[in-house]
Amino acid sequence: MTQALLDGAYEKPLWASFLSLLARETGADFVVLLCQPPGWKQDDCLQLVSGDMRVEDSNELYRRYFVDRNPTASELMQEGRAYSLEELIALDRGEHEAFYADLVTTHRVTDLRQMRVREAGGVDARLTIVSLSRSFDVQTDRLLCALAPVLRSVLRNYIVLERERFTASLAEEAIRRLQFGWIALDAGGGIVDSDPVGEMLLRESGVVGRTPRGRLTIADRAAERTLLATIRTMASQLEASPKAVSLSSDPWFDMLLVPAPHRLLGPIGKPVIVAYVHGDSWGTADRCEQLMDLFRLTRSEARLALEICRGRSIAEAACQLDLQVETVRGYSKRIFAKTGARGQTDLVRILMGSVLALTPDGRIGAPRPASR
């Protein structure tokens, strides 16, 4: 049972094996594990049930009798001790008499045991076993008390794990929105592994893909030949320098090739190169719309700002946009004024540091005045 409690944080549903074992060992009709952070109401908390009882039924009972405050008995309970139904009623001192009467008459509860522990951060866990036909004995009390220190440690580890998961999920979401990922490659351009973003780009970008035999393929065949030649060259060098490769300008897609860190990736295969990929799922027209929303640029100014962010000089941008260099210089001055940038480098910092980089799924701003 201790092992089931330790392993339960990795189960789906959580602690299902432990709760089932505890019900079988004690003869309980159902078992409830409630994890309650400070200030949280019961119906907002993690509730796990084994047996013929629905969480919503428990919450309905809670809302009916404890809408204003938690049960007094829970506040007075000593950690690590198993309390009987009679003891909980005595601790309550009649404050929630109607609740306990309902528990016995309507819900036919014959006996229960409840044990509380609190981890260092203040999160309470209450483990409750309920019987509809029999009374629990002293052996049951001893079992719950023996589980208390293990439950406290498990609760602490689970909270740390959940915080890490939450932090990681936010970072993963930001990375996903920025469209950064990685693809591990062997010397022949075969795909060894990839992260979720890299896999999504392989599947959906239309710029990079995977052949039926698992080799990296590029939509632009000339770019593919150059890339594969670069990979072979880097694979033959002991200390190859990273190489940056641009694969598409609309939508924007670039790649950084670096020697594989074997200490990290070795167990998953034999990659020699890690390709860090960055793909923008929006085309130029979409990004221009976002720049217009965010900085109140005209369409011509937005197109120029996007070209500057993609590393082009004023002269290169003028050629790309089929405009005179002096016209582009005039646009750039208005862009700097509207964004507060002091030059091209500062403009890239401002634009790429804005929420523009995190909004591939929707429009940004309010309606803007007509622009040309």
Side-chain angles (χ1 to χ4, degrees):
M1 192 176 300
T2 299
Q3 190 63 49
L5 183 54
L6 292 170
D7 293 341
Y10 305 97
E11 283 187 307
K12 291 183 180 180
L14 293 165
W15 286 289
S17 297
F18 166 71
L19 296 177
S20 178
L21 283 171
L22 184 59
R24 187 164 66 247
E25 182 70 21
T26 61
D29 288 283
F30 53 86
V31 179
V32 181
L33 177 60
L34 173 72
C35 298
Q36 187 169 23
W40 286 41
K41 292 187 176 297
Q42 177 176 306
D43 47 6
D44 291 328
C45 300
L46 173 65
Q47 297 181 72
L48 306 169
V49 177
S50 178
D52 187 20
M53 190 193 90
R54 297 189 314 127
V55 169
E56 184 51 40
D57 292 338
S58 174
N59 285 339
E60 177 58 32
L61 198 62
Y62 173 83
R63 286 190 289 266
R64 188 185 311 164
Y65 293 105
F66 303 113
V67 65
D68 295 324
R69 57 175 300 179
N70 283 328
T72 304
S74 295
E75 300 168 3
L76 299 177
M77 288 172 64
Q78 178 182 336
E79 281 191 76
R81 179 187 165 187
Y83 287 81
S84 67
L85 176 59
E86 290 76 13
E87 288 174 316
L88 292 176
I89 292 173
L91 284 176
D92 188 69
R93 297 177 181 177
E95 186 168 348
H96 299 97
E97 183 177 355
F99 163 72
Y100 288 107
D102 194 2
L103 208 61
V104 173
T105 58
T106 304
H107 297 278
R108 302 181 292 109
V109 172
T110 300
D111 198 9
L112 64 78
R113 290 292 186 273
Q114 188 172 95
M115 184 265 293
R116 180 180 73 91
V117 298
R118 173 173 292 179
E119 63 87 38
V123 177
D124 276 341
R126 293 202 300 276
L127 183 61
T128 307
I129 60 174
V130 179
S131 173
L132 304 179
S133 60
R134 60 182 291 270
S135 297
F136 294 114
D137 56 23
V138 67
Q139 292 299 114
T140 301
D141 295 347
R142 290 172 180 168
L143 174 60
L144 292 177
C145 292
L147 289 171
V150 184
L151 178 59
R152 186 183 295 108
S153 296
V154 165
L155 179 62
R156 179 180 182 183
N157 291 337
Y158 175 72
I159 290 169
V160 171
L161 181 62
E162 281 298 289
R163 287 171 180 163
E164 292 297 326
R165 285 172 176 165
F166 178 73
T167 302
S169 69
L170 294 180
E172 288 173 2
E173 176 65 9
I175 291 171
R176 184 191 69 80
R177 288 180 173 271
L178 288 167
Q179 300 284 354
F180 277 99
W182 58 262
I183 304 170
L185 303 167
D186 62 23
I191 298 171
V192 176
D193 199 5
S194 63
D195 73 341
V197 175
E199 184 62 32
M200 182 271 294
L201 292 172
L202 285 167
R203 188 175 60 250
E204 301 176 8
S205 69
V207 178
V208 295
R210 177 192 281 108
T211 67
R213 292 189 175 184
R215 188 175 66 82
L216 181 69
T217 181
I218 310 297
D220 184 325
R221 296 307 178 194
E224 179 179 309
R225 289 192 293 272
T226 300
L227 178 65
L228 293 176
T230 301
I231 291 173
R232 286 193 294 271
T233 300
M234 292 181 65
S236 66
Q237 299 173 356
L238 293 178
E239 296 183 3
S241 299
K243 303 291 184 183
V245 182
S246 177
L247 301 179
S248 173
S249 60
D250 191 13
W252 186 263
F253 199 106
D254 50 20
M255 179 180 288
L256 179 67
L257 303 174
V258 300
H262 291 280
R263 63 184 182 278
L264 175 64
L265 296 174
I268 64 173
K270 296 182 179 179
V272 296
I273 298 294
V274 175
Y276 293 98
V277 289
H278 172 222
D280 189 345
S281 60
W282 289 66
T284 297
D286 300 311
R287 284 305 186 199
C288 285
E289 291 290 328
Q290 292 181 342
L291 286 167
M292 293 161 70
D293 283 335
L294 191 58
F295 295 103
R296 297 299 188 263
L297 302 180
T298 67
R299 189 170 301 279
S300 296
E301 292 165 355
R303 292 174 63 201
L304 174 59
L306 185 61
E307 294 302 322
I308 291 174
C309 279
R310 290 174 171 175
R312 292 192 171 96
S313 66
I314 292 293
E316 291 169 337
C319 181
Q320 181 71 22
L321 298 174
D322 196 23
L323 295 171
Q324 296 294 322
V325 172
E326 289 307 314
T327 301
V328 171
R329 290 190 191 280
Y331 286 156
S332 67
K333 291 178 182 178
R334 294 202 292 271
I335 294 170
F336 295 155
K338 291 180 180 181
T339 60
R342 294 184 295 274
Q344 290 177 239
T345 301
D346 200 32
L347 177 66
V348 173
R349 179 188 63 80
I350 290 172
L351 297 191
M352 297 312 294
S354 73
V355 295
L356 174 70
L358 294 173
T359 54
D361 298 325
R363 296 287 300 280
I364 295 176
R368 58 184 180 277
S371 58
R372 61 181 180 86

